[in-house]
Amino acid sequence: MLILNISVSKKILIGILAATILSFSALLIGWTLTEPVSRKGEPILVSIKTGTPAKVIAEDLENQKLIKNAVVFRVAAKLQGLENSLQAGEYSISPAMPVRQMLTMMSQGQTAYQQFTVPEGYTVDQIAELLAEKKLANPARFKALAKNFAPFPYMAANPDTKYSVEGFLFPDTYRLARGTSEEDLLAMMVKQFDAKMTPDSRQRAAELGLSIREVIIMASLVEKEAKLNEEQPIIAGVFANRIQQNMPLQSCATIQYILGYPKAELTIQDTEIASPYNTYQIMGLPPGPIANPGTAAIKAVLLANKTDYLYFVADKQGKHHFSNSYAEHLLAINQVQL
């Protein structure tokens, strides 16, 4: 009878010990899930290739001191049913991040991304420089692809166009994963342009007898000429009037596009440069946009002010003075130079 009692007591002790171990393990896993390795520290970029097992991911995280224990990470992933759901990609993981958050991030594919903003009026060359500064793209490859990149029919370019994609890289803020290719960057921006060019805008262009490409060429001139937003519809109206009267547009912005930089004061020699973009020498619109216009400039072309103005000149503050005749224009030039 005594032997039976001892046997029962051992079983009870073993049960208590097992329960204690299980409780401790549960506490350890819970603590590991919620408590980060450190309360501070810079994020580390962790790359997970397609097909990488949870075991390898856990070991990599432990080696980089982003988690306390690889085994506990795997157990936690298994308990949450995420062991086979960790997605490939690049993740920005901080030592201050709990394991639970890491598992959520990887199972949902919340890959690391960078953000960049394309300002209104930037050219392809300027966008390439911006992407290079942020280490997001090879500028030479970006510009090489931009020459003939035209996924939408309305982008079909004149042979004299510098970049087929110029004008259609919509100025906006973009988020992208690391490793995004130059072609994907171009596709992302032209897709945004296509979405922003609403059915109403397309219908309005048709009512004016303009193709989408012609609207954007005109809008790019307006974007570069106007310093003040409220002047954009007026300047668009001037260009429309000059085209209607078979007058050259004589846009200084087209000369600056040819030069490749914003020259404060143009010379007579500058306006005589042989180029299909030189609107002092050609009639009508240049062969392509000279920048990537924003929504306001596009809207200005579609809803241009109806005036008799044929000329404009900017004063030292950037405000334009508009004239109906060349004689009035000369007087305005003299006034702004005072």
Side-chain angles (χ1 to χ4, degrees):
M1 189 70 179
L2 180 60
I3 294 173
L4 179 62
N5 287 339
I6 291 172
S7 177
V8 171
S9 296
K10 283 184 177 180
K11 288 181 179 179
I12 292 172
L13 286 172
I14 292 171
I16 292 171
L17 181 60
T20 301
I21 292 172
L22 287 173
S23 297
F24 178 76
S25 299
L27 286 171
L28 178 62
I29 292 172
W31 177 70
T32 306
L33 281 172
T34 57
E35 287 299 313
V37 170
S38 172
R39 293 295 178 184
K40 57 184 178 179
E42 292 297 319
I44 295 174
L45 196 65
V46 175
S47 180
I48 299 175
K49 295 182 179 179
T50 303
T52 304
K55 178 179 182 295
V56 175
I57 295 171
E59 290 171 351
D60 186 33
L61 293 173
E62 184 178 353
N63 291 337
Q64 296 194 61
K65 301 187 186 309
L66 291 170
I67 60 173
K68 295 183 177 74
N69 188 290
V71 174
V72 174
F73 179 92
R74 290 176 59 197
V75 171
K78 190 174 185 65
L79 290 174
Q80 294 186 50
L82 301 176
E83 191 175 25
N84 298 316
S85 301
L86 305 183
Q87 299 182 34
E90 289 186 313
Y91 297 90
S92 180
I93 300 179
S94 164
M97 188 180 293
V99 168
R100 189 187 305 278
Q101 186 178 347
M102 294 181 195
L103 288 170
T104 299
M105 177 186 291
M106 293 179 188
S107 64
Q108 295 181 1
Q110 298 172 4
T111 53
Y113 69 86
Q114 283 191 280
Q115 184 168 293
F116 72 99
T117 300
V118 177
E120 295 173 344
Y122 258 38
T123 63
V124 166
D125 289 337
Q126 288 175 306
I127 295 172
E129 289 176 12
L130 174 67
L131 292 170
E133 287 171 10
K134 293 185 172 290
K135 297 180 170 50
L136 294 174
N138 178 313
R141 176 166 171 74
F142 183 84
K143 289 191 283 188
L145 288 169
K147 288 185 181 298
N148 299 306
F149 191 84
F152 295 103
Y154 52 75
M155 293 174 64
N158 181 304
D160 293 324
T161 302
K162 184 177 180 182
Y163 296 112
S164 295
V165 81
E166 190 83 271
F168 303 99
L169 300 178
F170 192 76
D172 208 341
T173 297
Y174 296 91
R175 295 170 58 179
L176 62 150
R178 287 180 178 273
T180 301
S181 70
E182 288 80 3
E183 188 168 11
D184 286 341
L185 282 166
L186 290 168
M188 181 189 305
M189 287 185 270
V190 298
K191 184 178 179 181
Q192 182 71 338
F193 170 86
D194 192 65
K196 294 291 184 178
M197 199 67 184
T198 65
D200 287 345
S201 297
R202 297 173 195 239
Q203 182 179 342
R204 176 58 182 163
E207 290 170 357
L208 295 172
L210 298 173
S211 67
I212 293 176
R213 183 175 177 79
E214 288 170 333
V215 169
I216 301 308
I217 294 174
M218 185 86 79
S220 72
L221 301 182
V222 171
E223 184 73 68
K224 299 301 285 186
E225 290 283 2
K227 299 295 184 289
L228 305 174
N229 285 343
E230 61 266 27
E231 291 183 352
Q232 288 185 337
I234 307 173
I235 291 175
V238 172
F239 286 143
N241 289 342
R242 293 181 73 92
I243 289 175
Q244 189 174 14
Q245 296 193 27
N246 293 317
M247 297 173 65
L249 295 181
Q250 296 184 321
S251 168
C252 295
T254 60
I255 305 300
Q256 292 169 338
Y257 186 70
I258 297 166
L259 295 173
Y261 63 93
K263 189 174 182 181
E265 292 188 17
L266 298 179
T267 65
I268 296 297
Q269 288 73 24
D270 291 330
T271 64
E272 293 174 345
I273 296 173
S275 168
Y277 282 91
N278 188 343
T279 55
Y280 280 82
Q281 301 295 323
I282 66 166
M283 297 296 293
L285 297 172
I290 61 168
N292 294 279
T295 302
I298 297 171
K299 184 178 179 181
V301 172
L302 296 174
L303 301 172
N305 283 16
K306 300 292 185 182
T307 71
D308 294 325
Y309 295 142
L310 292 171
Y311 302 90
F312 58 82
V313 61
D315 59 27
K316 294 177 181 178
Q317 286 71 45
K319 179 178 173 60
H320 283 91
H321 299 259
F322 300 91
S323 305
N324 296 336
S325 68
Y326 188 62
E328 290 177 6
H329 181 54
L330 292 177
L331 289 174
I333 292 174
N334 289 331
Q335 289 176 353
V336 301
Q337 289 177 343
L338 294 177

